[in-house]
Amino acid sequence: MSDPSAPLPSGPESTRVDRWLWAVRLTKTRSDAAQACRGGHVRVNGRPAKAATAVKAGDEVRVRLHGTTRLVDVSHVIAKRVGAPIATRCYVDRTPAPPPQATGPVIRRDRGAGRPTKRDRRQLDKLRADQWPPG
């Protein structure tokens, strides 16, 4: 296990955004990072970024991956992939927390119970009406 207080590896002053996203483990492969750039899912300092866009310490990178938007500030530039504990120290994650999901009682029926009876349907409708509007 690596020491969390170990010094960060030395790196260049700036590097390509696709390379940096891969190096800090925000994407699994560098080609995934490049594809996200081509698809318009990566922004550096508020501007759409191509794969070759340079990033340096202090830049803000916004990347949309797998349906979630990550907002990170570059604190250290690395060009080679490193272990996860070191990689997380190379950026400051400012991703906003997801909005809370409205949860209510879960309606379950026994498997193989067949169609609900008229009485069951009325009870379900009443339960659903009590939950509406959500929030």
Side-chain angles (χ1 to χ4, degrees):
M1 186 167 236
S2 66
D3 182 19
S5 63
L8 292 171
S10 62
E13 188 174 310
S14 68
T15 189
R16 294 169 55 110
V17 69
D18 64 335
R19 193 173 194 186
W20 185 81
L21 288 170
W22 166 75
V24 296
R25 297 176 174 263
L26 289 177
T27 59
K28 283 190 174 192
T29 64
R30 187 166 166 193
S31 63
D32 283 348
Q35 188 174 2
C37 291
R38 278 193 304 273
H41 301 292
V42 179
R43 291 180 160 265
V44 175
N45 295 327
R47 293 191 173 129
K50 292 183 178 180
T53 301
V55 292
K56 58 188 182 308
D59 284 349
E60 175 190 88
V61 178
R62 182 182 301 262
V63 60
R64 182 160 176 78
L65 296 168
H66 310 295
T68 59
T69 301
R70 302 280 307 268
L71 179 63
V72 297
D73 290 331
V74 179
S75 61
H76 186 74
V77 177
I78 56 174
K80 301 259 183 186
R81 195 163 171 103
V82 294
I86 295 172
T88 57
R89 293 173 45 208
C90 293
Y91 62 88
V92 178
D93 195 353
R94 295 191 306 119
T95 305
Q101 297 285 334
T103 59
V106 178
I107 302 168
R108 296 198 189 268
R109 288 184 47 83
D110 292 334
R111 186 176 175 104
R115 275 180 68 170
T117 63
K118 193 171 194 176
R119 181 174 179 252
D120 291 340
R121 261 196 340 268
R122 286 182 178 154
Q123 288 174 343
L124 288 172
D125 290 343
K126 184 177 185 300
L127 184 61
R128 288 185 185 127
D130 292 342
Q131 293 178 358
W132 190 258

